């Protein structure tokens, strides 16, 4: 997968009709993108509309924001990793801070989800990040490495090396407060050192994305920071013009 990776997390925004309108505008202003990977994580119910809008633009990938940790069963409202793959998702977010805090996604569940996704042929993007009080207590590294360890726990080294990592400090998500490029590099460096212990040499080529209030004004600087291999973007990915600027940053 080509780096940098630019990922759009639409959260609970843009149903099929809004997605079609988004792509009419975005594609008209975005000539063929090369040398980078761009992936959209729309709401699952919008995935089909996004894929149809992108059918002549195979350089863009799609994924889902969430899967259940079981293959099937009586889990009303949920979707499985296998269903996501069947619907054409190439990637899935795992452990986004909103899933952890609002929906009780545990560290252990993130591990099971990564395992189910890889078994189904979907690449997990494992999100990790500390809360503000944890940062203020000097616990950033401890929290991030704990989440990483749990998310990759069921995987052998070769499988773990295929997972994408997104460092998203919780205090920066949707707040307008962005980590500095230096902050991002510090934490990404700690993640990469930990990954080297866990998966060996392949850690050097694994992608570690930064997320948290990325916008068209700060994307270029963040992307240029050492050890930052891409960006996971929420709010600013909803607007075609902002997203075009970030994709080309
Ligand atoms: C996100 O939800 O992953 C995110 C980074 O959101 P925002 O860009 O809006 O902070």
């Amino acid at each position: 997968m080509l780096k940098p990776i630019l990922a759009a997390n639409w959260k609970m925004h843009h149903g099929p009709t809004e997605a079609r309108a988004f792509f009419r505008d975005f594609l008209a202003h975005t000539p063929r993108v090369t040398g980078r990977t761009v992936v959209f994580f729309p709401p699952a119910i919008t995935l089909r509309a996004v894929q149809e809008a992108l059918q002549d633009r195979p350089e863009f990938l799609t994924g889902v924001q969430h899967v259940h940790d079981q293959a099937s069963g009586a889990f009303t409202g949920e979707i499985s990793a296998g269903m996501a793959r069947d619907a054409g998702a190439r990637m899935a977010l795992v452990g986004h801070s909103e899933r952890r805090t609002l929906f009780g996604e545990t560290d252990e569940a993130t591990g099971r989800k990564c395992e189910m996704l890889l078994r189904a042929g979907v690449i997990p993007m494992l999100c990790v990040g500390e809360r503000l009080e944890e940062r203020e207590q000097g616990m950033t590294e401890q929290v991030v490495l704990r989440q990483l360890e749990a998310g990759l726990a069921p995987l052998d080294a070769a499988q773990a090396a295929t997972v994408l990592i997104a460092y998203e400090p919780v205090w920066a998500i949707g707040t307008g407060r962005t980590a500095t490029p230096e902050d991002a590099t510090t934490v990404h460096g700690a993640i990469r050192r930990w990954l080297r212990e866990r998966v060996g040499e392949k850690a050097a080529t694994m992608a570690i994305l930064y997320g948290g209030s990325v916008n068209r004004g700060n994307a270029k600087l963040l992307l240029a920071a050492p050890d930052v291999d891409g960006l996971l973007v929420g709010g600013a990915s909803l607007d075609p013009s902002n997203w075009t600027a970030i994709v080309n940053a």
Side-chain angles (χ1 to χ4, degrees), residues 208-246:
I208 307 173
L209 287 73
Y210 168 78
S213 294
V214 173
N215 57 46
R216 63 194 297 164
N218 59 24
K220 202 176 177 70
L221 264 184
L222 284 161
L223 273 181
D227 263 325
V228 175
D229 303 311
L231 302 171
L232 176 55
V233 184
S237 71
L238 293 170
D239 172 71
S241 145
N242 284 334
W243 185 235
T244 297
I246 292 170

Side-chain angles (χ1 to χ4, degrees), residues 9 11 93 96 98 168 172-176 211-214 232-236:
N9 173 16
K11 313 193 188 200
L93 298 179
H96 189 280
E98 287 151 18
E168 297 206 300
I173 297 181
T175 60
S213 294
V214 173
L232 176 55
V233 184

Side-chain angles (χ1 to χ4, degrees), residues 184-219:
T185 293
T186 302
V187 181
H188 286 215
I191 291 174
R192 197 161 325 262
R193 282 192 296 281
W194 185 90
L195 289 170
R196 198 165 296 129
E197 296 291 310
R198 179 66 167 77
V199 309
E201 302 274 286
K202 287 200 175 127
T205 54
M206 285 178 72
I208 307 173
L209 287 73
Y210 168 78
S213 294
V214 173
N215 57 46
R216 63 194 297 164
N218 59 24

Side-chain angles (χ1 to χ4, degrees), residues 5-28:
I5 299 170
L6 289 317
N9 173 16
W10 281 2
K11 313 193 188 200
M12 198 172 75
H13 298 286
H14 289 351
T17 305
E18 286 167 303
R20 282 189 280 272
F22 173 97
F23 282 108
R24 271 195 296 278
D25 191 338
F26 172 72
L27 294 176

